[in-house]
Coordinates of all heavy atoms in Angstrom, one line a residue:
M8 N -6.7 47.2 -28.3 CA -8.0 47.1 -28.9 C -8.3 45.7 -29.5 O -9.3 45.5 -30.1 CB -8.2 48.1 -30.0 CG -8.3 49.5 -29.5 SD -8.6 50.9 -30.6 CE -8.6 50.2 -32.2
G9 N -7.3 44.8 -29.5 CA -7.5 43.5 -30.0 C -7.2 43.4 -31.5 O -7.7 42.4 -32.1
L10 N -6.6 44.3 -32.1 CA -6.2 44.3 -33.5 C -4.8 43.8 -33.7 O -3.9 44.1 -32.8 CB -6.4 45.7 -34.1 CG -7.7 46.4 -34.1 CD1 -7.6 47.8 -34.6 CD2 -8.7 45.6 -34.9
T11 N -4.6 43.1 -34.8 CA -3.2 42.8 -35.1 C -2.5 44.0 -35.6 O -3.1 45.1 -35.9 CB -3.2 41.7 -36.2 OG1 -3.8 42.2 -37.4 CG2 -3.9 40.4 -35.7
R12 N -1.2 43.9 -35.8 CA -0.5 45.1 -36.3 C -0.9 45.5 -37.7 O -1.1 46.7 -38.0 CB 1.0 44.8 -36.3 CG 1.7 44.8 -35.0 CD 3.1 44.7 -35.1 NE 3.7 44.7 -33.7 CZ 5.0 44.5 -33.5 NH1 5.8 44.2 -34.5 NH2 5.4 44.6 -32.3
S13 N -1.1 44.6 -38.6 CA -1.6 44.9 -39.9 C -3.0 45.5 -39.9 O -3.3 46.5 -40.7 CB -1.5 43.7 -40.9 OG -2.4 42.7 -40.4
Q14 N -3.8 45.0 -39.1 CA -5.2 45.6 -39.0 C -5.1 47.0 -38.4 O -5.9 47.9 -38.9 CB -6.1 44.7 -38.1 CG -6.5 43.4 -38.7 CD -7.2 42.5 -37.8 OE1 -7.0 42.6 -36.5 NE2 -8.0 41.6 -38.3
A15 N -4.3 47.2 -37.4 CA -4.1 48.6 -36.9 C -3.6 49.5 -37.9 O -4.0 50.7 -38.0 CB -3.2 48.5 -35.6
R16 N -2.7 49.1 -38.7 CA -2.1 50.0 -39.8 C -3.2 50.3 -40.8 O -3.3 51.5 -41.2 CB -1.0 49.3 -40.5 CG 0.3 49.3 -39.7 CD 1.5 48.7 -40.5 NE 2.6 48.4 -39.6 CZ 3.1 47.2 -39.4 NH1 2.7 46.2 -40.1 NH2 4.1 47.1 -38.6
R17 N -3.9 49.3 -41.2 CA -5.0 49.6 -42.2 C -6.1 50.5 -41.6 O -6.6 51.4 -42.3 CB -5.7 48.3 -42.6 CG -4.9 47.6 -43.8 CD -5.6 46.4 -44.2 NE -4.9 45.3 -43.6 CZ -5.4 44.1 -43.3 NH1 -6.6 43.9 -43.5 NH2 -4.7 43.2 -42.7
L18 N -6.4 50.4 -40.3 CA -7.4 51.2 -39.7 C -6.9 52.7 -39.7 O -7.7 53.6 -40.0 CB -7.7 50.7 -38.3 CG -8.7 51.5 -37.5 CD1 -10.0 51.5 -38.2 CD2 -8.8 51.0 -36.1
L19 N -5.6 52.9 -39.3 CA -5.1 54.3 -39.3 C -5.1 54.9 -40.7 O -5.4 56.1 -40.8 CB -3.7 54.3 -38.7 CG -3.6 54.3 -37.2 CD1 -2.2 54.2 -36.7 CD2 -4.2 55.6 -36.6
I20 N -4.8 54.1 -41.7 CA -4.7 54.6 -43.0 C -6.2 54.9 -43.5 O -6.4 56.0 -44.1 CB -4.0 53.7 -44.0 CG1 -2.5 53.7 -43.7 CG2 -4.3 54.0 -45.4 CD1 -1.7 52.6 -44.4
L21 N -7.1 54.0 -43.2 CA -8.5 54.2 -43.7 C -9.1 55.4 -42.9 O -10.0 56.1 -43.5 CB -9.3 53.0 -43.4 CG -9.0 51.8 -44.4 CD1 -9.8 50.6 -44.1 CD2 -9.4 52.3 -45.8
E22 N -8.7 55.7 -41.7 CA -9.2 56.8 -41.0 C -8.8 58.1 -41.6 O -9.5 59.1 -41.4 CB -8.8 56.7 -39.5 CG -9.6 55.8 -38.7 CD -9.1 55.7 -37.2 OE1 -8.0 56.2 -36.9 OE2 -9.9 55.2 -36.4
S23 N -7.6 58.1 -42.2 CA -7.1 59.4 -42.7 C -7.6 59.7 -44.2 O -7.5 60.8 -44.6 CB -5.6 59.4 -42.8 OG -5.1 58.4 -43.7
L24 N -8.1 58.7 -44.8 CA -8.5 58.8 -46.2 C -9.7 59.8 -46.4 O -9.7 60.6 -47.4 CB -8.9 57.5 -46.9 CG -7.7 56.7 -47.4 CD1 -8.1 55.4 -48.0 CD2 -6.9 57.5 -48.5
P25 N -10.8 59.8 -45.7 CA -11.9 60.7 -46.0 C -11.5 62.2 -45.9 O -11.8 62.9 -46.9 CB -12.9 60.4 -44.9 CG -12.6 59.1 -44.4 CD -11.1 58.9 -44.6
Q26 N -10.7 62.6 -45.0 CA -10.2 64.0 -44.9 C -9.3 64.3 -46.1 O -9.4 65.4 -46.7 CB -9.5 64.3 -43.6 CG -10.4 64.2 -42.4 CD -10.4 62.8 -41.8 OE1 -9.9 61.9 -42.4 NE2 -10.9 62.7 -40.6
A27 N -8.4 63.4 -46.4 CA -7.5 63.6 -47.5 C -8.2 63.7 -48.9 O -7.9 64.6 -49.7 CB -6.5 62.5 -47.6
L28 N -9.2 62.9 -49.1 CA -10.0 62.9 -50.3 C -10.8 64.2 -50.4 O -10.9 64.8 -51.5 CB -10.9 61.7 -50.5 CG -10.1 60.3 -50.6 CD1 -11.0 59.2 -50.7 CD2 -9.3 60.4 -51.9
L29 N -11.4 64.6 -49.3 CA -12.2 65.9 -49.3 C -11.2 67.1 -49.6 O -11.6 68.0 -50.3 CB -12.9 66.1 -48.0 CG -14.2 65.3 -47.8 CD1 -14.7 65.4 -46.4 CD2 -15.2 65.7 -48.9
A30 N -10.0 67.0 -49.0 CA -9.1 68.1 -49.2 C -8.7 68.1 -50.7 O -8.5 69.2 -51.3 CB -7.9 68.0 -48.3
A31 N -8.4 67.0 -51.3 CA -8.0 66.9 -52.7 C -9.2 67.4 -53.6 O -8.9 68.2 -54.5 CB -7.7 65.5 -53.1
A32 N -10.4 67.0 -53.3 CA -11.5 67.4 -54.1 C -11.7 68.9 -54.0 O -12.0 69.6 -55.0 CB -12.8 66.7 -53.8
G33 N -11.6 69.4 -52.8 CA -11.7 70.9 -52.6 C -10.6 71.7 -53.3 O -10.9 72.7 -53.8
G34 N -9.4 71.1 -53.3 CA -8.3 71.8 -54.0 C -8.6 71.8 -55.5 O -8.3 72.9 -56.2
I35 N -9.1 70.7 -56.1 CA -9.3 70.7 -57.5 C -10.5 71.7 -57.8 O -10.4 72.4 -58.8 CB -9.7 69.3 -57.9 CG1 -8.5 68.4 -57.9 CG2 -10.4 69.3 -59.3 CD1 -8.8 66.9 -58.2
L36 N -11.5 71.7 -57.0 CA -12.6 72.6 -57.3 C -12.2 74.0 -57.2 O -12.6 74.9 -58.0 CB -13.8 72.2 -56.4 CG -15.1 73.0 -56.5 CD1 -15.7 72.8 -57.9 CD2 -16.1 72.7 -55.5
T37 N -11.5 74.3 -56.1 CA -11.0 75.7 -55.9 C -10.1 76.2 -57.1 O -10.2 77.3 -57.6 CB -10.3 75.8 -54.6 OG1 -11.2 75.4 -53.6 CG2 -9.8 77.3 -54.3
G38 N -9.2 75.3 -57.5 CA -8.3 75.7 -58.6 C -9.1 75.9 -59.9 O -8.8 76.9 -60.6
W39 N -10.0 75.0 -60.2 CA -10.8 75.1 -61.4 C -11.6 76.4 -61.4 O -11.7 77.1 -62.4 CB -11.7 73.9 -61.6 CG -12.5 73.9 -62.8 CD1 -12.2 73.6 -64.0 CD2 -13.9 74.4 -62.8 NE1 -13.3 73.8 -64.9 CE2 -14.3 74.2 -64.1 CE3 -14.8 74.8 -61.9 CZ2 -15.6 74.6 -64.5 CZ3 -16.1 75.1 -62.3 CH2 -16.5 75.0 -63.6
A40 N -12.3 76.7 -60.3 CA -13.1 77.8 -60.2 C -12.3 79.1 -60.2 O -12.8 80.1 -60.9 CB -13.9 77.8 -58.8
T41 N -11.2 79.1 -59.6 CA -10.3 80.3 -59.7 C -9.9 80.7 -61.1 O -10.0 81.8 -61.5 CB -9.1 80.1 -58.8 OG1 -9.5 79.9 -57.5 CG2 -8.2 81.3 -58.8
I42 N -9.5 79.7 -61.8 CA -9.1 79.9 -63.2 C -10.2 80.4 -64.1 O -10.1 81.3 -64.8 CB -8.4 78.6 -63.8 CG1 -7.2 78.2 -63.1 CG2 -8.2 78.8 -65.3 CD1 -6.1 79.2 -63.2
H43 N -11.4 79.7 -63.9 CA -12.5 80.1 -64.8 C -13.1 81.5 -64.4 O -13.6 82.2 -65.2 CB -13.6 79.1 -64.7 CG -13.2 77.9 -65.6 ND1 -13.3 77.9 -67.0 CD2 -12.7 76.7 -65.3 CE1 -12.9 76.8 -67.5 NE2 -12.6 76.0 -66.5
L44 N -13.0 81.9 -63.1 CA -13.5 83.2 -62.7 C -12.5 84.3 -63.1 O -12.9 85.4 -63.4 CB -13.8 83.2 -61.2 CG -15.0 82.4 -60.8 CD1 -15.1 82.3 -59.2 CD2 -16.3 82.9 -61.4
L45 N -11.2 84.0 -63.0 CA -10.2 85.1 -63.3 C -9.8 85.2 -64.7 O -9.3 86.3 -65.1 CB -9.0 84.8 -62.4 CG -9.1 85.0 -60.9 CD1 -7.8 84.7 -60.2 CD2 -9.6 86.4 -60.6
S46 N -10.0 84.2 -65.5 CA -9.5 84.2 -66.9 C -10.1 85.3 -67.8 O -9.4 85.9 -68.6 CB -9.7 82.9 -67.6 OG -11.1 82.6 -67.7
P47 N -11.4 85.7 -67.6 CA -11.8 86.8 -68.5 C -11.2 88.2 -68.1 O -11.1 89.1 -69.0 CB -13.3 86.9 -68.2 CG -13.7 85.6 -67.6 CD -12.5 85.1 -66.9
G48 N -10.7 88.4 -66.9 CA -10.2 89.6 -66.5 C -8.7 89.8 -66.5 O -8.1 90.8 -66.3
I49 N -8.0 88.7 -66.9 CA -6.5 88.7 -66.9 C -6.0 88.5 -68.3 O -6.4 87.6 -69.0 CB -5.9 87.6 -66.0 CG1 -6.3 87.8 -64.6 CG2 -4.4 87.5 -66.2 CD1 -5.9 86.7 -63.6
D50 N -5.2 89.5 -68.7 CA -4.6 89.4 -70.1 C -3.2 89.0 -70.0 O -2.4 89.8 -69.4 CB -4.8 90.8 -70.8 CG -4.3 90.8 -72.2 OD1 -4.3 89.7 -72.8 OD2 -3.9 91.8 -72.7
L51 N -2.9 87.9 -70.4 CA -1.5 87.4 -70.3 C -0.6 87.7 -71.5 O 0.5 87.3 -71.6 CB -1.5 85.8 -70.1 CG -2.2 85.4 -68.8 CD1 -2.2 83.9 -68.7 CD2 -1.4 85.9 -67.6
T52 N -1.2 88.3 -72.5 CA -0.4 88.6 -73.7 C 0.9 89.4 -73.5 O 1.9 89.2 -74.0 CB -1.2 89.2 -74.8 OG1 -1.8 90.4 -74.3 CG2 -2.3 88.3 -75.3
T53 N 0.8 90.4 -72.5 CA 1.9 91.2 -72.3 C 3.0 90.4 -71.5 O 4.2 90.7 -71.6 CB 1.5 92.5 -71.5 OG1 0.9 92.0 -70.3 CG2 0.6 93.3 -72.3
I54 N 2.6 89.5 -70.7 CA 3.5 88.7 -69.9 C 4.1 87.6 -70.8 O 5.3 87.3 -70.8 CB 2.8 88.1 -68.7 CG1 2.4 89.2 -67.8 CG2 3.8 87.1 -68.0 CD1 1.5 88.7 -66.7
A55 N 3.3 86.9 -71.6 CA 3.7 85.7 -72.3 C 4.4 86.0 -73.6 O 5.3 85.3 -74.0 CB 2.5 84.8 -72.6
L56 N 4.0 87.1 -74.3 CA 4.6 87.4 -75.6 C 5.3 88.8 -75.5 O 4.8 89.8 -75.1 CB 3.5 87.5 -76.6 CG 2.6 86.2 -76.7 CD1 1.4 86.4 -77.6 CD2 3.5 85.0 -77.2
S57 N 6.6 88.8 -76.0 CA 7.3 90.1 -76.0 C 6.9 91.0 -77.1 O 7.0 92.2 -77.0 CB 8.8 89.8 -76.1 OG 9.1 89.1 -77.3
T58 N 6.4 90.5 -78.2 CA 5.9 91.3 -79.3 C 4.4 91.1 -79.3 O 3.8 90.3 -78.6 CB 6.5 90.9 -80.6 OG1 6.1 89.5 -80.9 CG2 8.0 91.0 -80.6
S59 N 3.7 91.9 -80.1 CA 2.3 91.8 -80.2 C 1.9 90.5 -80.8 O 2.6 90.0 -81.8 CB 1.7 93.0 -81.0 OG 2.1 92.9 -82.4
P60 N 0.8 89.9 -80.3 CA 0.5 88.5 -80.8 C -0.1 88.6 -82.3 O -0.7 89.6 -82.6 CB -0.6 88.1 -79.9 CG -1.2 89.3 -79.3 CD 0.0 90.3 -79.3
A61 N 0.2 87.5 -83.0 CA -0.3 87.4 -84.4 C -1.8 87.2 -84.4 O -2.6 87.7 -85.2 CB 0.4 86.3 -85.1
T62 N -2.3 86.5 -83.4 CA -3.7 86.2 -83.3 C -4.2 86.7 -81.9 O -3.5 86.5 -80.9 CB -4.0 84.7 -83.4 OG1 -3.3 84.0 -82.4 CG2 -3.6 84.2 -84.7
P63 N -5.3 87.3 -81.8 CA -5.9 87.8 -80.5 C -6.2 86.6 -79.7 O -6.7 85.5 -80.2 CB -7.1 88.6 -80.9 CG -7.3 88.5 -82.3 CD -6.2 87.7 -82.9
G64 N -6.0 86.7 -78.4 CA -6.3 85.6 -77.5 C -5.3 84.5 -77.5 O -5.6 83.3 -77.1
A65 N -4.1 84.7 -77.9 CA -3.1 83.7 -78.0 C -2.6 83.2 -76.7 O -2.2 82.1 -76.5 CB -1.9 84.1 -78.9
A66 N -2.6 84.1 -75.7 CA -2.1 83.7 -74.4 C -3.3 83.7 -73.4 O -3.6 84.8 -72.8 CB -1.1 84.7 -73.9
E67 N -4.1 82.7 -73.4 CA -5.2 82.6 -72.5 C -4.9 81.8 -71.2 O -4.0 81.0 -71.2 CB -6.3 81.8 -73.2 CG -7.0 82.5 -74.4 CD -8.1 81.7 -75.0 OE1 -8.4 80.6 -74.4 OE2 -8.6 82.1 -76.0
L68 N -5.6 82.1 -70.2 CA -5.5 81.4 -68.9 C -6.5 80.3 -69.0 O -7.7 80.4 -69.0 CB -5.9 82.4 -67.8 CG -5.6 81.9 -66.4 CD1 -4.1 81.6 -66.2 CD2 -6.0 83.0 -65.4
R69 N -6.0 79.0 -69.0 CA -6.8 77.8 -69.1 C -6.5 76.9 -68.0 O -5.4 76.9 -67.5 CB -6.5 77.2 -70.5 CG -7.0 77.9 -71.6 CD -6.6 77.2 -72.9 NE -5.1 77.0 -72.8 CZ -4.3 76.9 -73.8 NH1 -4.8 77.1 -75.0 NH2 -3.0 76.7 -73.6
T70 N -7.4 76.0 -67.7 CA -7.2 74.9 -66.7 C -6.5 73.7 -67.4 O -6.8 73.4 -68.6 CB -8.5 74.5 -66.1 OG1 -9.4 74.1 -67.1 CG2 -9.1 75.6 -65.2
S71 N -5.7 73.1 -66.7 CA -5.1 71.9 -67.2 C -5.4 70.8 -66.2 O -5.2 70.9 -65.0 CB -3.5 72.1 -67.2 OG -2.9 70.8 -67.4
P72 N -6.0 69.7 -66.7 CA -6.3 68.6 -65.8 C -5.1 68.1 -65.0 O -5.2 67.7 -63.8 CB -6.9 67.5 -66.7 CG -7.3 68.2 -67.9 CD -6.4 69.4 -68.1
T73 N -3.9 68.1 -65.6 CA -2.7 67.6 -64.9 C -2.4 68.5 -63.8 O -2.0 68.1 -62.7 CB -1.6 67.5 -65.9 OG1 -2.0 66.6 -67.0 CG2 -0.3 66.9 -65.2
S74 N -2.4 69.8 -64.0 CA -2.1 70.8 -63.0 C -3.0 70.8 -61.8 O -2.7 71.2 -60.7 CB -1.9 72.2 -63.6 OG -3.2 72.7 -64.0
L75 N -4.3 70.3 -62.0 CA -5.2 70.2 -61.0 C -5.1 68.9 -60.2 O -5.3 68.8 -59.0 CB -6.6 70.5 -61.5 CG -7.0 71.8 -62.0 CD1 -8.4 71.9 -62.6 CD2 -6.9 72.9 -60.9
A76 N -4.9 67.8 -61.0 CA -4.9 66.5 -60.4 C -3.6 66.2 -59.7 O -3.6 65.4 -58.7 CB -5.2 65.5 -61.5
L77 N -2.5 66.7 -60.1 CA -1.2 66.3 -59.5 C -1.1 66.8 -58.1 O -0.8 66.0 -57.2 CB 0.0 66.9 -60.3 CG 1.4 66.5 -59.9 CD1 1.6 65.0 -60.0 CD2 2.4 67.3 -60.7
P78 N -1.4 68.0 -57.7 CA -1.3 68.4 -56.3 C -2.4 67.6 -55.4 O -2.1 67.3 -54.3 CB -1.6 69.9 -56.3 CG -1.4 70.4 -57.6 CD -1.6 69.2 -58.5
A79 N -3.5 67.4 -56.0 CA -4.6 66.6 -55.3 C -4.1 65.2 -55.0 O -4.3 64.7 -53.9 CB -5.9 66.6 -56.0
T80 N -3.5 64.6 -55.9 CA -2.9 63.2 -55.8 C -1.8 63.2 -54.7 O -1.7 62.3 -53.9 CB -2.4 62.7 -57.1 OG1 -3.5 62.7 -58.0 CG2 -1.9 61.3 -57.0
L81 N -1.0 64.2 -54.8 CA 0.1 64.3 -53.8 C -0.4 64.5 -52.4 O 0.2 64.0 -51.4 CB 1.1 65.4 -54.2 CG 1.9 65.2 -55.4 CD1 2.8 66.3 -55.8 CD2 2.8 63.9 -55.2
V82 N -1.5 65.3 -52.2 CA -2.1 65.5 -50.9 C -2.5 64.1 -50.3 O -2.3 63.8 -49.2 CB -3.3 66.5 -50.9 CG1 -4.1 66.4 -49.7 CG2 -2.8 67.9 -51.1
V83 N -3.2 63.3 -51.2 CA -3.7 62.0 -50.7 C -2.5 61.1 -50.4 O -2.5 60.4 -49.4 CB -4.6 61.4 -51.8 CG1 -5.0 60.0 -51.4 CG2 -5.9 62.2 -51.9
L84 N -1.5 61.1 -51.3 CA -0.3 60.2 -51.0 C 0.4 60.6 -49.8 O 0.9 59.7 -49.0 CB 0.6 60.2 -52.2 CG 0.1 59.5 -53.5 CD1 1.0 59.7 -54.6 CD2 -0.2 58.1 -53.2
V85 N 0.6 61.9 -49.5 CA 1.3 62.3 -48.3 C 0.5 62.0 -47.1 O 1.1 61.5 -46.1 CB 1.6 63.8 -48.4 CG1 2.1 64.4 -47.0 CG2 2.7 64.1 -49.4
T86 N -0.8 62.1 -47.1 CA -1.6 61.8 -46.0 C -1.6 60.3 -45.7 O -1.4 59.9 -44.5 CB -3.0 62.3 -46.2 OG1 -3.0 63.6 -46.5 CG2 -3.9 62.0 -45.0
V87 N -1.7 59.5 -46.7 CA -1.6 58.0 -46.5 C -0.2 57.6 -46.0 O 0.0 56.8 -45.1 CB -2.0 57.3 -47.8 CG1 -1.7 55.8 -47.7 CG2 -3.5 57.5 -48.1
G88 N 0.8 58.3 -46.6 CA 2.2 58.0 -46.1 C 2.4 58.3 -44.7 O 3.0 57.6 -43.9
V89 N 1.9 59.5 -44.2 CA 2.1 59.9 -42.8 C 1.3 58.9 -41.9 O 1.8 58.6 -40.9 CB 1.6 61.4 -42.7 CG1 1.5 61.7 -41.2 CG2 2.6 62.3 -43.3
A90 N 0.1 58.6 -42.3 CA -0.6 57.6 -41.5 C 0.1 56.3 -41.5 O 0.1 55.6 -40.4 CB -2.1 57.4 -42.1
G91 N 0.7 55.8 -42.5 CA 1.4 54.6 -42.5 C 2.6 54.6 -41.6 O 2.9 53.7 -40.9
V92 N 3.4 55.7 -41.7 CA 4.5 55.9 -40.8 C 4.1 56.0 -39.3 O 4.7 55.4 -38.4 CB 5.3 57.2 -41.2 CG1 6.4 57.5 -40.1 CG2 6.0 56.9 -42.5
Q93 N 3.0 56.7 -39.1 CA 2.4 56.7 -37.7 C 2.0 55.3 -37.2 O 2.3 55.0 -36.1 CB 1.2 57.7 -37.7 CG 0.6 57.8 -36.3 CD -0.6 58.6 -36.4 OE1 -1.1 59.1 -37.4 NE2 -1.2 58.9 -35.2
A94 N 1.4 54.6 -38.1 CA 1.0 53.2 -37.7 C 2.2 52.3 -37.4 O 2.3 51.6 -36.5 CB 0.1 52.6 -38.7
W95 N 3.2 52.5 -38.3 CA 4.5 51.7 -38.1 C 5.2 52.1 -36.8 O 5.6 51.2 -36.0 CB 5.4 51.9 -39.3 CG 6.8 51.4 -39.1 CD1 7.1 50.0 -39.2 CD2 8.0 52.1 -38.8 NE1 8.4 49.9 -39.0 CE2 9.0 51.1 -38.7 CE3 8.2 53.4 -38.5 CZ2 10.3 51.5 -38.4 CZ3 9.5 53.7 -38.2 CH2 10.5 52.8 -38.1
W96 N 5.2 53.4 -36.5 CA 5.9 53.9 -35.3 C 5.2 53.5 -34.0 O 5.8 53.0 -33.1 CB 6.0 55.4 -35.4 CG 6.9 55.9 -34.2 CD1 6.4 56.5 -33.1 CD2 8.3 55.9 -34.1 NE1 7.5 56.8 -32.3 CE2 8.6 56.5 -32.9 CE3 9.3 55.4 -34.9 CZ2 10.0 56.6 -32.5 CZ3 10.6 55.5 -34.5 CH2 10.9 56.1 -33.3
S97 N 3.9 53.5 -34.1 CA 3.1 53.1 -32.9 C 3.2 51.6 -32.7 O 3.1 51.2 -31.5 CB 1.6 53.6 -33.0 OG 1.0 52.9 -34.0
G98 N 3.3 50.9 -33.7 CA 3.5 49.4 -33.6 C 4.8 49.0 -33.0 O 5.0 48.0 -32.4
R99 N 5.8 49.9 -33.3 CA 7.2 49.6 -32.7 C 7.3 49.8 -31.2 O 8.1 49.2 -30.6 CB 8.2 50.5 -33.4 CG 8.5 50.0 -34.8 CD 9.7 50.8 -35.3 NE 10.8 50.6 -34.3 CZ 12.0 51.0 -34.5 NH1 12.4 51.6 -35.6 NH2 12.9 50.8 -33.5
R100 N 6.5 50.8 -30.8 CA 6.6 51.1 -29.3 C 6.1 50.0 -28.5 O 6.6 49.9 -27.3 CB 5.8 52.4 -29.1 CG 6.5 53.6 -29.6 CD 5.9 54.9 -29.0 NE 4.5 54.7 -28.7 CZ 3.6 55.7 -28.6 NH1 4.0 56.9 -29.0 NH2 2.4 55.5 -28.3
G101 N 5.2 49.2 -28.9 CA 4.7 48.1 -28.1 C 3.7 48.6 -27.1 O 4.0 48.9 -26.0
S102 N 2.4 48.6 -27.5 CA 1.3 49.1 -26.7 C 1.1 48.1 -25.6 O 0.4 48.4 -24.6 CB 0.1 49.3 -27.5 OG -0.3 48.1 -28.2
V103 N 1.5 46.9 -25.7 CA 1.3 45.9 -24.6 C 1.9 46.3 -23.3 O 1.3 46.2 -22.2 CB 1.8 44.5 -25.0 CG1 1.6 43.5 -23.9 CG2 1.0 44.0 -26.3
T104 N 3.1 46.8 -23.4 CA 3.8 47.2 -22.1 C 3.1 48.5 -21.6 O 3.2 48.7 -20.4 CB 5.3 47.5 -22.4 OG1 5.4 48.5 -23.4 CG2 6.0 46.2 -22.8
E105 N 2.5 49.3 -22.4 CA 1.9 50.6 -22.0 C 0.6 50.3 -21.3 O 0.1 51.1 -20.5 CB 1.7 51.5 -23.1 CG 3.0 52.0 -23.7 CD 2.8 52.8 -25.0 OE1 1.6 53.0 -25.3 OE2 3.8 53.3 -25.6
L106 N -0.1 49.2 -21.7 CA -1.4 48.9 -21.1 C -1.4 48.1 -19.8 O -2.4 48.0 -19.2 CB -2.2 48.1 -22.2 CG -2.5 48.8 -23.5 CD1 -3.2 47.9 -24.4 CD2 -3.4 50.0 -23.2
R107 N -0.3 47.7 -19.4 CA -0.2 47.0 -18.1 C -0.3 48.0 -16.9 O 0.5 48.9 -16.8 CB 1.1 46.2 -18.0 CG 1.2 45.1 -18.9 CD 2.4 44.3 -18.7 NE 2.6 43.2 -19.7 CZ 3.7 42.7 -20.0 NH1 4.8 43.1 -19.5 NH2 3.8 41.8 -21.0
A108 N -1.3 47.8 -16.1 CA -1.6 48.7 -15.0 C -0.8 48.2 -13.8 O -0.7 47.0 -13.5 CB -3.0 48.7 -14.7
G109 N -0.2 49.1 -13.1 CA 0.5 48.8 -11.9 C 1.9 48.3 -12.0 O 2.6 48.1 -11.0
D110 N 2.5 48.2 -13.2 CA 3.9 47.8 -13.4 C 4.8 49.0 -13.2 O 4.5 50.1 -13.7 CB 4.1 47.3 -14.8 CG 3.6 45.8 -15.0 OD1 3.2 45.2 -13.9 OD2 3.5 45.4 -16.1
A111 N 5.8 48.8 -12.5 CA 6.8 49.9 -12.3 C 7.8 49.8 -13.3 O 8.3 48.7 -13.7 CB 7.4 49.8 -10.9
R112 N 8.3 50.9 -13.8 CA 9.3 50.8 -14.9 C 10.6 50.9 -14.3 O 11.1 51.5 -13.4 CB 9.0 52.0 -15.8 CG 7.8 51.7 -16.6 CD 7.7 52.7 -17.7 NE 6.4 52.6 -18.3 CZ 6.0 53.1 -19.4 NH1 6.8 53.9 -20.1 NH2 4.8 52.9 -19.9

């Protein structure tokens, strides 16, 4: 395609970013919505506390920004890492020899 190796790597990584960012945003939104929709109907006091709680509502189901952002960040990092490895591997194979028509191997 007329790209240098570094340009081809960047192109492969940039092509994978939109899907990864959408997946990360969808995961955060789904996790947040699940917690907020289920929290009124789930009582965690029997699971979290062996004795009766001193204050009502001591064991609530709440969202944590870290627990939502960490998996989303890992999705993006794994996707970019896989795209980088794919770009490195395809650069090693040498597409110049594959593009020559009529050469016998």
Side-chain angles (χ1 to χ4, degrees):
M8 289 183 357
L10 299 174
T11 64
R12 283 186 180 175
S13 63
Q14 289 173 334
R16 285 185 192 123
R17 275 184 262 152
L18 179 64
L19 277 174
I20 290 171
L21 286 175
E22 284 178 343
S23 69
L24 276 178
Q26 294 92 346
L28 292 176
L29 281 174
I35 288 174
L36 183 63
T37 302
W39 179 82
T41 302
I42 296 297
H43 283 283
L44 290 173
L45 292 178
S46 63
I49 296 178
D50 184 25
L51 295 177
T52 55
T53 56
I54 298 171
L56 305 170
S57 60
T58 61
S59 66
T62 59
E67 290 181 3
L68 190 60
R69 294 176 304 214
T70 56
S71 166
T73 305
S74 67
L75 293 175
L77 185 64
T80 304
L81 290 176
V82 164
V83 173
L84 289 176
V85 167
T86 304
V87 169
V89 167
V92 169
Q93 179 185 5
W95 172 76
W96 187 259
S97 66
R99 284 192 53 172
R100 285 194 332 206
S102 59
V103 174
T104 58
E105 295 173 2
L106 294 176
R107 291 185 185 155
D110 285 349
R112 290 187 188 193

